[in-house]
Amino acid sequence: QVQLVESGGGLVQPGGSLRLSCAASGFTFSAYTMSWYRQAPGKERELVADISHAGVTTNYADSVKGRFTISRDNAKNTVYLQMNSLKPEDTDVYYCKADHAVVAGIVYWGQGTQVTVSS
C-alpha cells in the first residue's frame, strides 16, 4: 500500500532551523517528482519546493528561496526539506506530495506535519 510518512516537524524559534523528512513506500519512488506544500487554516495550499525524479532539477517559492533546500535520496525512498532562517510566517502544516513523472494523474499525498515558528 502506498504511504508517505512525514517527520521532523515541531516548534522552533525565529531564525532557527528544522529538517523535514518524507519516507515513501508502496511505489517506485525514483519515477516520481516530489514536492513540499504548506497550508495555513483558511488559506490555499501552496507549493514550497519540488525536485525532479532523479534529483537534478529543483524549484522554490520566492518566499523560501535561499532559506530552504529540497533534496532526495532515491536509495532510501526519502525526500527532505531543510529549512533555515525560519520566520513566523513559515508556520504552517507541511505536506509531502508525489507525482508520477510520466503518467499524468498518479498523485499521492502525505497527511502533513505541523511546523510552528515562535518565540
Side-chain angles (χ1 to χ4, degrees):
Q1 185 170 345
V2 169
Q3 283 192 314
L4 294 174
V5 181
E6 295 131 325
S7 62
L11 176 64
V12 65
Q13 295 187 49
S17 297
L18 205 60
R19 187 181 72 170
L20 305 183
S21 299
C22 175
S25 61
F27 64 99
T28 305
F29 181 77
S30 61
Y32 286 73
T33 298
M34 300 300 299
S35 304
W36 287 97
Y37 284 73
R38 64 186 183 186
Q39 187 173 29
K43 298 285 189 177
E44 294 183 358
R45 189 171 296 187
E46 66 172 347
L47 176 66
V48 176
D50 61 43
I51 185 166
S52 61
H53 66 95
V56 175
T57 303
T58 58
N59 296 288
Y60 298 92
D62 288 341
S63 58
V64 308
K65 195 170 297 181
R67 300 188 297 121
F68 291 10
T69 303
I70 188 170
S71 61
R72 68 190 295 162
D73 187 339
N74 285 353
K76 296 181 178 180
N77 287 356
T78 303
V79 63
Y80 306 92
L81 186 66
Q82 178 67 46
M83 303 185 292
N84 299 326
S85 302
L86 283 161
K87 305 173 181 179
E89 50 262 47
D90 296 319
T91 296
D92 278 309
V93 177
Y94 285 71
Y95 297 89
C96 178
K97 181 190 179 187
D99 293 88
H100 199 286
V102 177
V103 182
I106 303 179
V107 179
Y108 306 115
W109 287 92
Q111 292 189 331
T113 184
Q114 177 71 48
V115 171
T116 302
V117 184
S118 177
S119 58

